[in-house]
Amino acid sequence: MMSLWTIVALVAVTGVTGRPNVTDSPDTGDMLTHPNSVPEYAEEETEILGQDQIEDVVAEDVMATGELNPNHYPAQRAAKVVQHYLNTRYGSPYRLFGLHRVHSGHAEDVADSGRKYQLEITAKERISNTTEKCSAEVLFPRGERQGSAQVQASCDELLKVNIAAQEEDLYQRYKNSQNLVSAQYLPDSHGRIEPEMKPFWHLGIVASSFVMLNESTENTLYNMAQVANITQLATENDQLKFDSHVLLHDMVSQEIIHWKLLFTWSPAEGVKMLQMEQLPHCHECDKPQNTE
Ligand SMILES: *[C@@H]1O[C@H](CO)[C@@H](O)[C@H](O)[C@H]1NC(C)=O
Ligand SMILES: *[C@@H]1O[C@H](CO)[C@@H](O)[C@H](O)[C@H]1NC(C)=O
Ligand SMILES: *[C@@H]1O[C@H](CO)[C@@H](O)[C@H](O)[C@H]1NC(C)=O
Ligand SMILES: *[C@@H]1O[C@H](CO)[C@@H](O)[C@H](O)[C@H]1NC(C)=O
């Protein structure tokens, strides 16, 4: 089972980078050899970014303009930002967005403000497994207007799946719980997650989208690798509160980056990010603390 997941990850990673041997890279080696490494997401990666779909991915220095090949990185990178945007706006323990396919993309420079991508994509709600074709616009600011990508997207059909009862149930169960929930390594090295931990894994993914939305540029392609841990804190102002440590994978640089996130969730307010902090890159951090 372990080997299956590892192979899936290797296929995904080599498929995207074209590198013959990912274990040569300390960063991916880090991820792939970590005893509790990843990657449920790699499964989707092969679907979206299979070897046969993406080419010429690394050496695209010049930003493509005009009509884009929907299977190449410029369009895929911009489209991935839409996924993060949808998660930050509408994500929940029971609603999780994915990018299913890019149908078309168009990029243009916008005087003084950046580059604008117009995209036709199929977005996916992963829990109900529903898809919808939607239009989106992503502006990567430039020059004076530094900052995160600005996104507009309408994928309203995906919001119609009724998750209110499940949300309320989870909320009531953990709102006044004596034992604050805590979990590590979602998913574990076998790609497994305890069923009752899945909502918290989803929350970790949604929270990670806040980072990925904020950090994405035309030169990045972030994926969630793993929720290293998530710990519930005491409920404040009717919001469930969580502290989480997540590992994100930039498919372009092949780096695994670590973030510490503090966020809240409630059915009424959704996920709100309180604090996000990138942790220094550190191989020692991944190792058990008590081996010396
Ligand atoms: C790939 O890595 C393995 C060890 O991880 C090594 O034995 C093998 O020679 C490498 N292959 C290439 C083509 O570098
Ligand atoms: C999701 O839906 C697609 C198409 O409707 C189907 O092919 C696929 O098997 C479904 N996946 C799951 C996990 O149900
Ligand atoms: C998002 O990124 C910008 C830099 O691009 C940073 O100034 C800002 O603080 C970040 N937002 C959060 C919530 O950390
Ligand atoms: C969460 O995981 C990180 C990285 O593995 C670790 O440094 C941190 O101590 C963990 N926190 C908890 C509460 O387990």
Side-chain angles (χ1 to χ4, degrees), residues 34 182-185 228-229 231 243 245 247 258 279 285-286 289:
H34 190 286
S182 173
Q184 285 191 66
Y185 307 125
N229 53 52
T231 304
D243 190 0
H245 187 112
L247 309 187
H258 298 228
L279 300 175
C285 302
D286 287 340
Q289 301 296 307

Side-chain angles (χ1 to χ4, degrees), residues 20-24:
N21 209 338
V22 287
T23 51
D24 287 349

Side-chain angles (χ1 to χ4, degrees), residues 171 234-241 264-266 268-270 272:
Y171 178 68
T235 299
E236 279 175 24
N237 306 322
D238 291 329
Q239 306 293 308
L240 303 192
K241 192 171 178 183
T264 60
W265 172 76
S266 71
E269 301 283 319
K272 299 277 181 244

Side-chain angles (χ1 to χ4, degrees), residues 169-182 200 232-235 240 242:
D169 189 57
L170 186 79
Y171 178 68
Q172 292 303 337
R173 193 139 45 98
Y174 289 96
K175 186 180 158 200
N176 299 311
S177 165
Q178 293 301 312
N179 299 314
L180 298 171
V181 70
S182 173
F200 301 103
Q232 186 187 3
L233 307 176
T235 299
L240 303 192
F242 299 93

Side-chain angles (χ1 to χ4, degrees), residues 7 38 78 125 171 173 176 199 248:
I7 288 162
V38 193
E125 197 290 296
Y171 178 68
R173 193 139 45 98
N176 299 311
L248 310 180

Side-chain angles (χ1 to χ4, degrees), residues 251-264:
M251 310 291 287
V252 178
S253 68
Q254 286 301 330
E255 277 187 322
I256 298 289
I257 54 175
H258 298 228
W259 285 77
K260 188 172 153 46
L261 308 176
L262 188 66
F263 62 93
T264 60

